[in-house]
Amino acid sequence: MLESVYIGMSGLTAYSRGLQTISNNVANLNTAGFKTSTPRFADLYYGQQFAQGSPGSGKTMQFGSGVEYGYSSLNFAQGDLRASSGQLDLAIQGNGFLALLDGSTTRYARTGQFAIGDDGFIEDKASGLKLAALTSSGSLEPIALDGKQINPPQATTVIQFADNLSSGSTNFSIPNVEVYDANGGKHTLTIAFAPDSSIIPGRWQVTVTDENKLPLQQGTLQFNGGIPEPGADKIDFTLNSPDAPPLTVTLDFSTGVTGFSAGSTSSLRVSNKDGYATGTLSSMNVDADGQLILQYSNGQTDTLGAIALASFSNPQPLLQMGNGLFDASQASPPQYRTSSGAGVGQLIAGASEASNVDLSTEFGQLILIQRGFQASSQVVSAANEMIMQLFQMRGQG
């Protein structure tokens, strides 16, 4: 009869742990990236005894020892993806895990909010672990922004033009043409066109002046049949600056420029030019291939690396660590891929994955566990009453 008490107590213990699992699931309803655990129970060792008068292995009676809380399996069903304000908030649409480096140890997460740490590495705000990129050799390395906070300037070397410079115009100018020297200094130029066809038809005098109205260069642009004449379709000028070396810039009219008559109206414009000022890092995002793209204030972009995604053949051995992290020391080594690679989903920037807690499922489990606990409690109470009755009978004897 004492065995019945112990069996009932095993039920109380197991269902208490089951209740703890359900409580943890419900408490993490709004925890980003949280994965629920499903309670599992297992029956305990069965003792054997031969039936009286019937010896032999086929004539045995088995007596169970109760129930235990076997294990709680993780539910890796994806939670809802929700937009967030952080430009480095990352989530995964589909399978896979983000790889986070803790020294020489790798941890894994389904979602995370990342920022640039004091040491220049991209770190998870909650845990401080470093986000990992996948190298060309297939290894992991932390993503560092050393030398990437500033985008160096590039000097202007060519200005290209397009559209029509009407032969009927008496004069025409293009103001506010911005160029940059080797140190990123900006200079605003005006390019003026005056007809000079007294000797040769289709000839224009081109004058370049700086922001101080000082002339930098005069040159000749020659049209032949409304098309710029080769050898007379480019003009070089030199810009001198006290803060930078002399800068030579080419005015290129060779492609897309015409000189047909359109009355007094010309549509000639700057179609393209190189060069830009020094830029500071203004934003970061992730493209469809999982590449981390840096955007600078000067309009330039740079690629920092492909964020690594881990694919596990069986994620069940992963252990939850808190802060949305998983430990893979008991799991088979993962395969590392980039976004949308084999076995992994699409990396989404500016989003986070919500918990996959389903309250209706959890409350259903809660009712079953509560009933199991009540039944085990009744078993203990009944066994206790029977033991008390036995003691009373012995006392009467």
Side-chain angles (χ1 to χ4, degrees):
M1 217 172 302
L2 287 175
E3 288 82 357
S4 299
V5 175
Y6 296 142
I7 291 174
M9 290 297 296
S10 73
L12 296 178
T13 301
Y15 288 120
S16 296
R17 295 188 62 184
L19 178 61
Q20 180 179 354
T21 299
I22 298 298
S23 300
N24 186 61
N25 290 343
V26 174
N28 285 281
L29 175 65
N30 294 311
T31 302
F34 177 78
K35 300 302 178 187
T36 59
S37 298
T38 303
R40 293 289 186 268
F41 302 95
D43 52 349
L44 289 175
Y45 169 76
Y46 284 80
Q48 295 184 350
Q49 177 180 340
F50 289 113
Q52 291 184 0
S54 303
S57 60
K59 302 291 185 178
T60 60
M61 297 182 294
Q62 293 184 329
F63 300 93
S65 301
V67 64
E68 67 174 349
Y69 188 81
Y71 65 93
S72 58
S73 61
L74 288 172
N75 175 15
F76 285 100
Q78 180 169 322
D80 295 334
L81 296 188
R82 299 175 180 175
S84 61
S85 58
Q87 60 184 354
L88 276 181
D89 292 353
L90 301 176
I92 304 171
Q93 178 70 54
N95 298 325
F97 295 82
L98 297 167
L100 306 180
L101 300 179
D102 183 10
S104 60
T105 304
T106 305
R107 307 298 186 190
Y108 302 92
R110 280 286 302 176
T111 189
Q113 295 180 321
F114 298 92
I116 302 173
D118 295 336
D119 55 1
F121 291 93
I122 296 180
E123 301 175 347
D124 180 45
K125 293 180 180 178
S127 63
L129 302 187
K130 295 176 174 59
L131 182 64
L134 186 62
T135 66
S136 57
S137 62
S139 61
L140 300 180
E141 66 178 10
I143 302 176
L145 289 175
D146 290 342
K148 298 291 186 177
Q149 300 280 9
I150 300 295
N151 183 251
Q154 178 177 304
T156 302
T157 60
V158 63
I159 302 174
Q160 296 177 323
F161 296 84
D163 292 345
N164 188 57
L165 179 61
S166 176
S167 58
S169 296
T170 57
N171 55 67
F172 179 73
S173 65
I174 303 177
N176 302 322
V177 179
E178 295 179 351
V179 298
Y180 297 90
D181 59 35
N183 291 333
K186 183 173 72 173
H187 305 271
T188 304
L189 309 180
T190 299
I191 304 173
F193 301 83
D196 188 17
S197 57
S198 58
I199 301 177
I200 301 177
R203 176 171 290 185
W204 292 80
Q205 190 73 29
V206 181
T207 303
V208 181
T209 57
D210 63 13
E211 55 264 33
N212 299 317
K213 307 300 181 183
L214 297 176
L216 301 177
Q217 181 69 36
Q218 284 189 336
T220 301
L221 172 63
Q222 180 67 52
F223 288 93
N224 187 358
I227 303 300
E229 184 175 301
D233 54 3
K234 295 180 181 179
I235 300 173
D236 293 338
F237 70 91
T238 300
L239 175 66
N240 293 306
S241 171
D243 301 322
L247 174 66
T248 299
V249 182
T250 299
L251 305 181
D252 186 356
F253 303 92
S254 61
T255 303
V257 175
T258 58
F260 299 110
S261 177
S264 60
T265 301
S266 293
S267 59
L268 187 69
R269 61 181 176 84
V270 174
S271 62
N272 189 32
K273 56 186 176 68
D274 59 1
Y276 43 83
T278 302
T280 58
L281 183 63
S282 58
S283 65
M284 293 179 287
N285 57 53
V286 178
D287 65 10
D289 297 324
Q291 296 280 346
L292 185 61
I293 306 300
L294 308 180
Q295 296 178 330
Y296 295 92
S297 58
N298 58 1
Q300 302 303 302
T301 61
D302 194 5
T303 301
L304 197 56
I307 296 174
L309 296 182
S311 173
F312 290 91
S313 58
N314 177 23
Q316 279 301 321
L318 295 178
L319 303 176
Q320 288 178 310
M321 300 179 58
N323 286 327
L325 299 177
F326 294 89
D327 172 68
S329 59
Q330 305 301 316
S332 299
Q335 297 291 323
Y336 294 106
R337 302 283 189 267
T338 57
S339 182
S340 297
V344 296
Q346 177 71 46
L347 190 61
I348 306 296
S352 62
E353 182 182 353
S355 166
N356 66 351
V357 174
D358 182 354
L359 285 180
S360 60
T361 300
E362 299 303 322
F363 287 151
Q365 291 276 3
L366 179 62
I367 292 173
L368 293 176
I369 288 176
Q370 184 180 16
R371 288 177 178 174
F373 189 91
Q374 290 173 344
S376 297
S377 176
Q378 290 174 357
V379 168
V380 173
S381 297
N384 181 61
E385 290 179 3
M386 294 173 67
I387 292 173
M388 293 301 296
Q389 291 175 1
L390 180 61
F391 286 161
Q392 291 175 0
M393 290 173 59
R394 293 184 64 182
Q396 292 175 359

